[in-house]
Amino acid sequence: DIQMTQSPSSLSASVGDRVTITCRASQSISSYLNWYQQKPGKAPEVLIYAASSLQSGVPSRFSGSGSGTDFTLTISSLQPEDFATYYCQHSYPPTFGGGTKVEIK
Amino acid sequence: EVQLLESGGGLVQPGGSLRLSCAASGFTFGTYAMSWVRQAPGKGLDCVSAITGSGDSTYYADSVKGRFTISRDNSKNTLYLQMHSLRAEDTAVYYCAKDAVQYSSSWSNWFDPWGQGTLVTVSS
């Protein structure tokens, strides 16, 4: 089975910081990689699909890159509403990374 | 507007059974794959089961294979998860999630949107 490993598991950052989260697959998954944001007590919401496509309605400060085994989610300038937990997900079969909690420094 | 409304969660004893339902509206239900994703308290996300739009193909995580059964009634726009032989480690919020790609032959591409979740607690 394909394993998805996210790093770091948590990070502290300030408003305006550039934040990068990585996701590594245990074998090549082409571009079948998606990113979600989850706020406390809420269901996750998709940010990025197919590695680099921005979901409609998601601010352009979010971007995704990568293919094969290594992927990155970047927030170009962290905003107060971005403090949340982020998950990567491989499509087939549906497998999630362990999550990255972004906290206020 | 797409809406997914889960129901059927609650407290059940170890070894017991429960059936979750997800009532869907706002889209052509039978043309989208659907999934159940759970989240144990304070933990990450775990897709336990998925089903294609027609219902002809299903996926189960190893942790629930043989105990859980996913099904759908496209005439009622409803997704189900029948859970048997429940264990303490099945305690979680269970989310119903719609696949984002219409007419996909796969169980899952990416999930959009998700329901609000229903809590299942397995405890004596």
Side-chain angles (χ1 to χ4, degrees):
Chain A
D1 291 356
I2 296 174
Q3 308 297 321
M4 307 301 297
T5 304
Q6 276 183 245
S7 61
S9 57
S10 65
L11 65 90
S12 296
S14 301
V15 172
D17 284 353
R18 182 181 182 87
V19 169
T20 299
I21 299 168
T22 64
C23 180
R24 175 164 289 175
S26 58
Q27 63 190 74
S28 177
I29 58 170
S30 185
S31 296
Y32 296 112
L33 191 283
N34 314 302
W35 291 97
Y36 298 85
Q37 176 191 68
Q38 186 180 33
K39 297 181 178 178
K42 300 291 188 181
E45 295 182 345
V46 63
L47 299 173
I48 302 288
Y49 61 92
S52 60
S53 295
L54 188 68
Q55 173 74 1
S56 175
V58 173
S60 58
R61 63 180 179 273
F62 291 93
S63 64
S65 64
S67 66
T69 60
D70 294 318
F71 301 87
T72 300
L73 173 70
T74 300
I75 310 172
S76 60
S77 178
L78 197 65
Q79 297 301 300
E81 60 268 31
D82 300 337
F83 292 96
T85 301
Y86 294 85
Y87 294 92
C88 63
Q89 177 237 335
H90 170 49
S91 298
Y92 321 111
T95 308
F96 289 90
T100 297
K101 187 174 184 179
V102 177
E103 300 175 301
I104 301 172
K105 182 183 286 185
Chain B
E1 178 192 6
V2 173
Q3 290 195 330
L4 301 170
L5 186 60
E6 302 95 334
S7 61
L11 176 64
V12 60
Q13 292 188 337
S17 299
L18 212 56
R19 188 177 85 154
L20 305 183
S21 299
C22 172
S25 61
F27 64 102
T28 309
F29 182 69
T31 64
Y32 290 87
M34 298 291 295
S35 296
W36 288 99
V37 180
R38 70 183 180 185
Q39 187 169 37
K43 302 297 184 183
L45 302 169
D46 179 26
C47 182
V48 296
S49 190
I51 187 168
T52 53
S54 63
D56 62 352
S57 181
T58 57
Y59 161 81
Y60 295 97
D62 288 343
S63 58
V64 306
K65 207 169 289 184
R67 300 188 299 123
F68 289 12
T69 302
I70 191 171
S71 62
R72 63 192 298 159
D73 186 335
N74 289 346
S75 69
K76 295 183 178 179
N77 290 351
T78 304
L79 175 73
Y80 303 100
L81 185 67
Q82 179 68 55
M83 304 185 292
H84 295 296
S85 303
L86 283 161
R87 307 165 179 167
E89 54 265 36
D90 296 318
T91 294
V93 173
Y94 285 73
Y95 294 102
C96 161
K98 169 187 163 290
D99 193 63
V101 179
Q102 194 174 24
Y103 301 117
S104 175
S105 58
S106 171
W107 315 298
S108 65
N109 294 278
W110 61 96
F111 303 122
D112 179 52
W114 302 51
Q116 86 291 343
T118 187
L119 176 63
V120 172
T121 303
V122 184
S123 175
S124 56

